[in-house]
Amino acid sequence: MSKKAGKLLIVDDNRSILSAVKLLTESFFEEVLTLPSPNSLISTLHKSQPDVVLLDMNFHAGINTGNEGLYWLREVLAKYPETKVVLFTAYADIELAVRAMKEGAFDFVVKPWDNAKLIVTLQNAYKAAKGKAKKPTKQQTTEPQVEMYWGESAEMKRVKQMVERVAITDANILITGENGTGKEVLAREIHRQSARCRKTMVSLDMGAIPDTLFENELFGHTKGAFTDARTDREGKFETANGSTLFMDEIGNLPLHLQAKMLAVLQNRAVTRLGANEATPVDIRLISATNRDLHEAVAKGEFRQDLLFRINTIHIHIPPLRNRKEDIVPLAERFIERYGQKYGKAGLMLSDDAAEKLKNHSWEGNIRELQNTIEKAVIMCDGDIISPDHLELHTSQRPLNESQTLEEMERQTIANAIAQCGGNLSQVAQQLGITRQTLYNKIKRYGL
């Protein structure tokens, strides 16, 4: 057995997993700490200074996007850039893994894990932490910029015309559309065409922030405002001063904070937690959501006056299935991008593969297409991407022809996920199945 070395912190809300991994890793690390919640993660890092953090991706029932893990990854690397973070998830997703690695994660381990592989990964992370590799100490918070692709559809041409009219103004904009349609990419294009483009747009994913941290993320705090507030910290409104603030999934903002946000927008000033005086801010707000906010207002879940304030201009992005003429050109752009990334330049799409792409329903829109093409590029050993490389498991016959039970089940689950805004607990309840059964079916159908 190799000599014990290093300090490991395991963060997972499943206490059985905490116990099992702690028992496994104690033979390899000098000290193994555990946390059942990330809420005290930063203070634990400050006090214990672990070399490696094994961080779960999801901490709330029904939320399985991995956004929580990405949020805490950014927080760790922003404050302790030398710490190596290995992400822990039950969902093997190439897109999420690549995104996490781009944002600074050392590696990615999938549950159920292989003991030997987990130990090797954690030991490699420790070696990297002690190897003093020459890396930037500043957190990498953004992925390479993706250019806006307008396409040839009539609906997207109308969107382009509207953007050209409103981008140069300071009007607040609400972008709506299904998940994966490219709302953030459009927001960046609006910012690029605006007078504020000389400063970086500040993005905030409201779906990735734990409820207890919303106020701190938006408005910041002063030293001593709460237990872990050891220094002053500006919120996203102050960070975006003079620029554009993009708030994705704005519908997730808790009702009790909507009044405070409305006051910030009206008064153009923000008060940090623990502060007595407001700080002036000059921002242009772009919001995005896949929810029907008018329906949320009717249910008492969203303030009508705030909706009026953020919705000066409304831009709706159509789903990919409504712009079929853009599917293959988009796919070819992704093939070029990932061909360069994975050293496979010159890949081409076969005619049969192009036809299969056009006939797919794309419930996940451009994000699903991008993920599909990245996997196809990885799996392709020759020069031509064939239908088999696409791994599209759904039969895409016209709706007026009969469907198999599996096809109907996949479509029903996809529709329920869309209706519930990705809340898998609600989806399971609506379909009358357990969450575990739902997870298994999502994995089976590639949703």
Side-chain angles (χ1 to χ4, degrees), residues 107 185 221 228 284 319 330 335 371 411:
D107 211 336
V185 175
H221 64 252
D228 288 331
R284 196 263 187 88
L330 272 169
I335 289 171
N371 189 45
Q411 188 64 52

Side-chain angles (χ1 to χ4, degrees), residues 231-248:
T231 61
D232 289 348
R233 181 179 186 272
E234 66 180 19
K236 288 298 189 289
F237 274 97
E238 288 184 72
T239 303
N241 189 38
S243 185
T244 301
L245 175 61
F246 173 63
M247 296 180 66
D248 200 6

Side-chain angles (χ1 to χ4, degrees), residues 310-329:
I310 68 175
N311 193 23
T312 306
I313 301 293
H314 175 212
I315 299 177
H316 182 75
I317 304 180
L320 189 56
R321 61 183 172 273
N322 290 353
R323 40 187 296 211
K324 288 186 176 293
E325 58 267 62
D326 296 335
I327 293 174
V328 172

Side-chain angles (χ1 to χ4, degrees), residues 144-170:
Q145 296 300 306
V146 177
E147 292 183 7
M148 184 70 199
Y149 176 73
W150 296 108
E152 298 299 325
S153 68
E155 287 185 77
M156 285 305 295
K157 286 180 179 179
R158 284 193 289 271
V159 170
K160 182 180 181 182
Q161 291 172 353
M162 181 175 292
V163 167
E164 289 172 346
R165 291 194 193 101
V166 304
I168 59 174
T169 73
D170 268 345

Side-chain angles (χ1 to χ4, degrees), residues 29-297:
F29 286 84
E30 288 180 315
E31 185 174 357
V32 179
L33 309 171
T34 61
L35 281 179
S37 165
N39 291 339
S40 59
L41 173 56
I42 301 303
S43 60
T44 301
L45 289 172
H46 178 77
K47 180 174 65 176
S48 302
Q49 298 183 349
D51 304 295
V52 180
V53 175
L54 180 60
L55 177 65
D56 191 21
M57 295 292 287
N58 299 289
F59 294 95
H60 289 85
I63 301 177
N64 298 283
T65 61
N67 282 337
E68 288 180 288
L70 292 174
Y71 170 82
W72 286 108
L73 168 68
R74 296 174 190 132
E75 289 294 295
V76 171
L77 295 183
K79 296 175 175 63
Y80 301 94
E82 298 304 321
T83 302
K84 300 304 174 185
V85 180
V86 176
L87 295 177
F88 213 13
T89 181
Y91 300 93
D93 184 288
I94 289 177
E95 180 185 9
L96 184 60
V98 171
R99 181 179 174 189
M101 298 288 281
K102 286 178 180 176
E103 298 206 13
F106 178 80
D107 211 336
F108 189 91
V109 177
V110 178
K111 303 174 189 175
W113 64 92
D114 175 87
N115 284 349
K117 184 176 180 180
L118 176 60
I119 292 299
V120 168
T121 301
L122 293 174
Q123 287 184 322
N124 287 340
Y126 170 69
K127 291 174 184 176
K130 293 304 179 184
K132 298 181 180 179
K134 294 181 179 179
K135 281 190 171 184
T137 57
K138 185 177 180 180
Q139 174 197 15
Q140 297 177 352
T141 56
T142 58
E143 298 181 17
Q145 296 300 306
V146 177
E147 292 183 7
M148 184 70 199
Y149 176 73
W150 296 108
E152 298 299 325
S153 68
E155 287 185 77
M156 285 305 295
K157 286 180 179 179
R158 284 193 289 271
V159 170
K160 182 180 181 182
Q161 291 172 353
M162 181 175 292
V163 167
E164 289 172 346
R165 291 194 193 101
V166 304
I168 59 174
T169 73
D170 268 345
N172 292 334
I173 295 175
L174 176 64
I175 303 173
T176 59
E178 296 178 5
N179 285 333
T181 48
K183 296 187 285 293
E184 183 169 0
V185 175
L186 180 60
R188 292 191 181 281
E189 178 63 19
I190 294 170
H191 175 71
R192 188 188 68 80
Q193 295 188 30
S194 76
R196 297 173 179 265
C197 64
R198 290 182 295 276
K199 290 191 174 182
T200 302
M201 184 181 87
V202 176
S203 296
L204 182 62
D205 184 352
M206 306 298 286
I209 304 175
D211 290 350
T212 54
L213 297 179
F214 269 112
E215 192 167 6
N216 187 34
E217 275 299 299
L218 287 171
F219 311 124
H221 64 252
T222 59
K223 181 179 179 180
F226 48 87
T227 303
D228 288 331
R230 294 181 173 85
T231 61
D232 289 348
R233 181 179 186 272
E234 66 180 19
K236 288 298 189 289
F237 274 97
E238 288 184 72
T239 303
N241 189 38
S243 185
T244 301
L245 175 61
F246 173 63
M247 296 180 66
D248 200 6
E249 301 302 341
I250 185 71
N252 286 3
L253 183 66
L255 193 62
H256 70 278
L257 291 182
Q258 291 176 22
K260 188 167 184 179
M261 180 171 165
L262 179 64
V264 171
L265 295 175
Q266 289 175 335
N267 301 328
R268 305 184 71 80
V270 63
T271 303
R272 295 183 183 183
L273 291 172
N276 295 319
E277 296 183 1
T279 301
V281 290
D282 171 26
I283 65 140
R284 196 263 187 88
L285 180 66
I286 302 179
S287 308
T289 184
N290 63 350
R291 292 186 64 188
D292 184 338
L293 293 186
H294 292 284
E295 181 180 339
V297 168

Side-chain angles (χ1 to χ4, degrees), residues 4-20:
K4 294 182 181 182
K7 187 180 294 186
L8 171 68
L9 173 62
I10 309 165
V11 189
D12 198 299
D13 62 341
N14 187 317
R15 293 184 182 273
S16 297
I17 289 178
L18 283 180
S19 299

